[in-house]
Amino acid sequence: MSSEPSLAGVGPFGGTSLAEVGARLRNREISAEELTEQALASAHLHNPSLNCFVTIDDEGALRAARQADRELEAGLDRGPLHGMPVGVKDMIATSGLRTTMGSRHFSDHVPVIDADVVTSLRQSGAVVLGKTQTHEFAYGPTSDRAATGPARNPHDTQRMTGGSSGGSGAAVAAGIVPVALGTDTGGSARVPAALCGTVGMRPTQGALPSRGAFPLSPTMDVVGPLAGSVADLAASWWALSAGSDLAGARLPRWKEWAARPPVEVAAVRIASVDSALTQRAGQRSRAAAGLALNALGQSGAASRVVGLPEIDQSARLYGLIQSGEAYAIHAQRVSEHPELFEPEVLERLTAASEVSGWEYVRALEERLKLRASVLERLTTTDILVMPTVPIEAPLVDQRELSGEGEWSGVREALLSMTLPWSLLGFPALSVPVPSTDSHLPDSVQLIAKPGQERLLMDVAAALESQLRAG
Amino acid sequence: MSSEPSLAGVGPFGGTSLAEVGARLRNREISAEELTEQALASAHLHNPSLNCFVTIDDEGALRAARQADRELEAGLDRGPLHGMPVGVKDMIATSGLRTTMGSRHFSDHVPVIDADVVTSLRQSGAVVLGKTQTHEFAYGPTSDRAATGPARNPHDTQRMTGGSSGGSGAAVAAGIVPVALGTDTGGSARVPAALCGTVGMRPTQGALPSRGAFPLSPTMDVVGPLAGSVADLAASWWALSAGSDLAGARLPRWKEWAARPPVEVAAVRIASVDSALTQRAGQRSRAAAGLALNALGQSGAASRVVGLPEIDQSARLYGLIQSGEAYAIHAQRVSEHPELFEPEVLERLTAASEVSGWEYVRALEERLKLRASVLERLTTTDILVMPTVPIEAPLVDQRELSGEGEWSGVREALLSMTLPWSLLGFPALSVPVPSTDSHLPDSVQLIAKPGQERLLMDVAAALESQLRAG
């Protein structure tokens, strides 16, 4: 199959890191304003190909960058995101900056508040470069149904980014920004991370504040960052999770946080997941997970296999719960202005309206039991390893799949491996794995128990480092 | 209309109190065994007329009574329920004693455990006399749809008891037992209390353990006691709410609890409820509430009127939530053995299955808002006063109503005044009010804010005392 030239890493943050750029910033080799100008230029240059931004905020970004420069000049250092351009998914409110939810329903919507997570980023000195594309209302893992059209994969612009945080995945993978916010209900941060070759994390359910993030399925919605490396993801996680304590947060506090030595991987109990579900993953996906397990083994981790038949039921429960909750959010819009929805999204909402109250109630009960059962099986396991996605990035607009896995279609396949951890509320992240036989990225998903984001990132960092060394 | 002779107060506990009987027990004027024999004889004598017991446990009750006698002999006094016969609604599990849920589905069901609330009663020395009739699966406020037939009102056996704890209402009103457990989802403890002329309380949502009580709508289900007087209700509340601390509970601990002086009614801020809903109550019901307000005024309480338009929406939200939850519990039974249900219960379940997931989700959200709004209106109010029921006890099997209130039927009317407090999770109780122009009881409902059962009972005791004096 022919492919477009790759746009991966073409932007100012391609092949570098927050730490490297931060050092240049603090050495005065470059200013935040210059960095932002480079990022803006890259965004304008590549957006026609990638469609990763819905809105590029030249004026606001430059204003924030100049403020960051003045602060550094005055000795005020807000930490690793200080002066760094970031993308914010267009499901997340930004004060004074249009926020469309990827939908014609909100084409002209300008929030009067920042979402709490945006406040956290700004308190950490980040510069909001613009709003990244999202599948309409985040209701789909393909990012090719949105008022402003499909996002495109930097590795091959004929391919989809995955979604729903497709714009964030593409903007980070292209190196336009080092970090972008996504949201993750069934896999909306991890799936585009996997397909675009970035790191992407779903935090523990409830770990980050949800105010200002437009809901899809509130019992499973979380905000999650995407970044070019695990270290950059960790820096953004610090900025997001320091939360309201951040009022007084400055470089010394970041240094204190970052100074904690990482967990020794040899002391971490790692297991690969075995279930009918994981056996449906394609050959490439399973090979990537195997490569990751080997690399972790080389880092000193012994791993075993944990059977988790429970997660085979996840998709059914996820569908019932998400349907009831999503239609509750959109019922009025469906009844008053159905014509403003993307037809596929409207069709899915209509189907969602048909889930019964009692099925929803039962699914909530079953979820609790499933969670208890999985936690029980993980008594002596800290980190699980399995594919993030079972297939490589499909073409934009592709819906059918043939062959391996017998998926009903692209949507089912893309969410299949991520949604169990959404349903159960566990933190999980996707890390790129070197791809040897394709121009498209490979990836692996690591999963931890609730509250263990730091452990998850430590293990991911060890894996990333081993993979780069290998 | 002709009426049957009244069976109110005909049993050994008619016209007396736990305190009086307890004094005779401790003076050795009577033994627990003799008391239980009297109660058993009365139960057997009147059950053909009242149908208030599904199962009378002669053997188990006498065994427990003799144990209570031995303990008293040995100086072990478990407090006000020691040696006292009690009824337990047949929705609540009793170890080794058949528990039918009022349904042919459970005709031969013998639990292997006691419900936690039954454990609490036994730890307080109570003697379980038998299992009281319930509307099938507690799914109806009329107690005339059950595998063993309708419960009948002791004041007029042509009349219904109200429900679903109809057997408990009738057994207490007849004086067969001083106290009986009910459950209350929409009004199942308060409605039969009102129609039968007893006291009945719905505690705060979650205040008592639910293990072993068969569910109807878990976010609104509570266990609630019925008793012949507020003092007897308070004693049973102590026994139930002392919970697991009760392992070491003995008479001194009860005395300590009971020694706390009651709240001064003059210091309590009382309000009558005004809303479109309460205006639909019939003349007699409104007169009874007015009488109660006057009596409280004579006890020193100033009262005002609080407008609560919010509660007019309660029935709709209650219906959506209860439907989704109830069908989730019964779906499998409906599909496998529909023929075992009472036809009316099956019909209601079938209707309940049609509530959508999104409507259920929305109703949960609206409930939270309604609750916040009502709590806000009650900032300077401690106790609300309104009717428990808007009509007098209908005939057994009656479904239609004419005239006042324009209710769709008996079921809607009976639950209309109690279900708002179920929906919101507030504690509420029903107290009898003297009826001057009828052989049927009148009543009033008092409502407190969450956690304020003690205040609620103090005000109810003052009211009861004033009404008896007046």
Side-chain angles (χ1 to χ4, degrees):
Chain A
M1 187 178 288
S2 76
S3 63
E4 304 284 325
S6 173
L7 295 174
V10 294
F13 289 89
T16 182
S17 68
L18 284 175
E20 286 168 13
V21 177
R24 293 172 58 211
L25 187 71
R26 287 171 182 81
N27 290 342
R28 307 295 189 269
E29 288 174 40
I30 194 168
S31 68
E33 185 173 7
E34 288 162 334
L35 258 181
T36 297
E37 281 168 349
Q38 289 176 11
L40 287 168
S42 181
H44 284 292
L45 178 63
H46 298 297
N47 209 42
S49 310
L50 298 174
N51 195 31
C52 53
F53 285 98
V54 177
T55 306
I56 301 172
D57 185 20
D58 298 77
E59 193 187 330
L62 287 169
R63 193 182 331 116
R66 287 191 285 264
Q67 165 85 6
D69 283 329
R70 279 194 302 274
E71 289 184 352
L72 269 189
E73 203 67 47
L76 172 54
D77 189 329
R78 294 179 178 271
L81 293 185
H82 192 118
M84 300 294 170
V86 300
V88 174
K89 186 180 185 181
D90 217 20
M91 292 288 287
I92 300 173
T94 41
S95 171
L97 184 58
R98 191 171 59 129
T99 301
T100 70
M101 326 306 163
S103 177
R104 280 172 286 274
H105 287 278
F106 286 91
S107 291
D108 303 316
H109 175 62
V110 179
V112 295
I113 60 151
D114 278 330
D116 286 354
V117 287
V118 172
T119 299
S120 296
L121 289 183
R122 292 197 205 276
Q123 284 182 309
S124 305
V127 170
V128 175
L129 197 76
K131 304 304 295 287
T132 54
Q133 194 265 14
T134 172
H135 201 105
E136 185 177 24
F137 289 119
Y139 200 27
T142 52
S143 289
D144 52 5
R145 293 293 183 276
T148 56
R152 293 180 175 275
N153 196 311
H155 294 271
D156 177 350
T157 56
Q158 297 181 17
R159 302 272 173 173
M160 63 174 60
T161 54
S164 63
S165 312
S168 291
V172 170
I176 301 170
V177 288
V179 165
L181 290 188
T183 59
D184 190 311
T185 302
S188 282
R190 290 162 290 163
V191 170
L195 268 47
C196 294
T198 78
V199 184
M201 182 166 76
R202 171 189 180 83
T204 306
Q205 191 66 43
L208 295 181
S210 60
R211 187 170 62 171
F214 197 89
L216 169 59
S217 182
T219 71
M220 300 188 287
D221 293 338
V222 291
V223 172
L226 291 86
S229 67
V230 176
D232 289 3
L233 186 88
S236 67
W237 171 249
W238 170 77
L240 292 167
S241 63
S244 56
D245 286 353
L246 210 63
R250 301 291 180 265
L251 190 63
R253 294 189 53 189
W254 156 252
K255 285 191 168 157
E256 188 185 315
W257 192 86
R260 201 218 60 182
V263 167
E264 263 197 72
V265 173
V268 180
R269 297 162 302 179
I270 292 175
S272 65
V273 177
D274 184 38
S275 72
L277 174 66
T278 52
Q279 284 163 21
R280 292 171 70 194
Q283 169 56 29
R284 267 186 68 184
S285 297
R286 280 182 285 128
L291 193 65
L293 276 171
N294 279 345
L296 286 168
Q298 283 159 19
S299 304
S303 72
R304 57 198 184 85
V305 176
V306 168
L308 287 181
E310 290 86 354
I311 65 172
D312 298 338
Q313 305 170 48
S314 300
R316 182 179 60 84
L317 298 179
Y318 176 85
L320 292 171
I321 294 171
Q322 193 204 34
S323 293
E325 297 181 355
Y327 198 78
I329 287 158
H330 292 291
Q332 197 179 344
R333 268 179 291 276
V334 169
S335 108
E336 293 177 0
H337 290 292
E339 76 286 358
L340 294 180
F341 285 99
E342 288 286 316
E344 185 183 274
V345 170
L346 181 61
E347 192 183 307
R348 293 191 64 202
L349 281 169
T350 305
S353 73
E354 285 156 20
V355 166
S356 299
W358 68 275
E359 293 176 295
Y360 175 82
V361 170
R362 286 264 284 254
L364 292 185
E365 286 164 12
E366 289 182 61
R367 171 163 72 177
L368 284 176
K369 287 182 192 155
L370 211 65
R371 191 167 194 272
S373 175
V374 168
L375 278 168
E376 175 75 23
R377 285 193 196 270
L378 300 186
T379 304
T380 57
T381 300
D382 302 311
I383 295 286
L384 292 172
V385 178
M386 64 182 271
T388 311
V389 289
I391 56 171
E392 63 177 23
L395 296 169
V396 168
D397 291 337
Q398 183 183 336
R399 289 296 178 269
E400 305 300 321
L401 283 175
S402 53
E404 279 184 307
E406 297 184 352
W407 306 103
S408 69
V410 163
R411 207 162 50 221
E412 187 203 8
L414 285 180
L415 287 177
S416 61
M417 306 284 154
T418 50
L419 67 78
W421 313 108
S422 296
L423 181 76
L424 300 174
F426 284 34
L429 58 72
S430 184
V431 196
V433 168
S435 167
T436 51
D437 64 347
S438 165
H439 65 296
L440 296 173
D442 280 335
S443 60
V444 68
Q445 185 178 202
L446 306 183
I447 300 118
K449 282 184 271 193
Q452 299 299 331
E453 282 84 359
R454 195 99 194 242
L455 172 68
L456 186 60
M457 292 186 294
D458 280 353
V459 174
L463 169 62
E464 183 185 63
S465 156
Q466 189 68 44
L467 289 171
R468 285 178 182 173
Chain B
M1 186 177 292
S2 77
S3 64
E4 303 284 324
S6 174
L7 294 174
V10 294
F13 289 91
T16 181
S17 68
L18 283 175
E20 285 169 15
V21 177
R24 292 173 59 214
L25 187 71
R26 287 170 182 82
N27 290 341
R28 308 295 188 267
E29 289 174 40
I30 193 168
S31 68
E33 186 174 4
E34 288 163 334
L35 257 181
T36 297
E37 281 167 349
Q38 290 176 10
L40 286 168
S42 180
H44 284 292
L45 178 64
H46 298 296
N47 209 42
S49 311
L50 298 174
N51 194 31
C52 53
F53 285 98
V54 177
T55 307
I56 301 172
D57 185 19
D58 298 77
E59 194 187 327
L62 287 169
R63 195 184 328 117
R66 287 190 286 263
Q67 166 85 6
D69 283 330
R70 280 194 302 273
E71 288 184 353
L72 269 190
E73 203 66 47
L76 171 53
D77 189 330
R78 294 179 178 273
L81 294 185
H82 193 118
M84 300 294 171
V86 299
V88 175
K89 186 179 185 181
D90 216 21
M91 292 288 286
I92 300 173
T94 42
S95 171
L97 183 59
R98 190 172 60 129
T99 301
T100 70
M101 326 306 163
S103 176
R104 279 172 287 272
H105 287 278
F106 286 90
S107 291
D108 304 315
H109 174 63
V110 179
V112 295
I113 60 151
D114 278 331
D116 285 355
V117 288
V118 172
T119 300
S120 295
L121 289 183
R122 292 199 205 275
Q123 284 182 309
S124 305
V127 170
V128 175
L129 197 78
K131 304 304 295 286
T132 54
Q133 195 264 14
T134 171
H135 200 104
E136 186 178 25
F137 289 117
Y139 200 26
T142 51
S143 289
D144 52 5
R145 294 293 184 276
T148 55
R152 294 181 176 275
N153 197 312
H155 294 270
D156 177 350
T157 56
Q158 297 181 17
R159 302 272 172 172
M160 61 175 61
T161 54
S164 63
S165 311
S168 291
V172 170
I176 301 171
V177 288
V179 165
L181 290 188
T183 61
D184 190 311
T185 302
S188 283
R190 291 162 288 163
V191 170
L195 267 49
C196 294
T198 77
V199 184
M201 181 165 76
R202 172 190 180 83
T204 305
Q205 191 67 42
L208 296 181
S210 60
R211 186 170 63 170
F214 197 89
L216 170 59
S217 182
T219 70
M220 300 188 288
D221 292 340
V222 292
V223 171
L226 291 87
S229 67
V230 176
D232 289 3
L233 186 89
S236 66
W237 171 247
W238 171 77
L240 292 167
S241 63
S244 56
D245 286 353
L246 209 64
R250 301 290 181 265
L251 189 64
R253 293 190 55 191
W254 155 251
K255 285 191 166 155
E256 189 184 312
W257 192 85
R260 202 217 61 183
V263 167
E264 263 198 71
V265 173
V268 180
R269 297 162 302 179
I270 292 174
S272 64
V273 177
D274 185 38
S275 72
L277 175 66
T278 51
Q279 284 163 20
R280 291 171 71 194
Q283 168 57 28
R284 266 187 69 185
S285 297
R286 280 183 284 128
L291 193 66
L293 275 171
N294 279 345
L296 285 168
Q298 282 158 21
S299 304
S303 72
R304 55 198 185 87
V305 176
V306 168
L308 288 181
E310 289 86 355
I311 66 173
D312 298 338
Q313 305 171 49
S314 300
R316 181 179 61 84
L317 299 178
Y318 177 85
L320 292 171
I321 294 171
Q322 192 205 35
S323 293
E325 297 181 357
Y327 198 78
I329 287 157
H330 292 291
Q332 197 179 344
R333 268 180 290 276
V334 169
S335 107
E336 293 177 1
H337 290 293
E339 76 286 358
L340 294 180
F341 285 99
E342 289 287 317
E344 185 183 275
V345 170
L346 181 62
E347 191 183 309
R348 291 192 64 203
L349 281 168
T350 304
S353 73
E354 285 156 19
V355 166
S356 298
W358 68 274
E359 292 176 297
Y360 175 81
V361 170
R362 286 264 284 254
L364 291 185
E365 286 163 13
E366 288 182 63
R367 171 165 71 177
L368 284 177
K369 286 183 194 156
L370 210 67
R371 192 168 193 272
S373 174
V374 168
L375 278 168
E376 175 77 24
R377 286 193 196 270
L378 301 186
T379 305
T380 56
T381 301
D382 302 310
I383 294 287
L384 293 172
V385 178
M386 63 184 269
T388 311
V389 288
I391 55 172
E392 64 177 21
L395 296 170
V396 168
D397 291 336
Q398 183 183 335
R399 289 296 177 267
E400 305 299 321
L401 283 174
S402 54
E404 279 184 307
E406 296 183 353
W407 307 103
S408 69
V410 162
R411 207 163 50 224
E412 187 204 8
L414 284 180
L415 287 176
S416 61
M417 306 283 155
T418 50
L419 68 79
W421 313 108
S422 296
L423 181 76
L424 301 175
F426 285 33
L429 58 71
S430 184
V431 196
V433 167
S435 168
T436 50
D437 64 347
S438 163
H439 65 297
L440 296 173
D442 280 334
S443 60
V444 68
Q445 185 178 204
L446 305 183
I447 299 119
K449 283 184 272 194
Q452 299 298 330
E453 283 84 359
R454 195 100 195 242
L455 172 68
L456 187 60
M457 291 187 293
D458 280 353
V459 173
L463 169 62
E464 183 185 63
S465 154
Q466 189 68 43
L467 289 171
R468 284 178 182 172

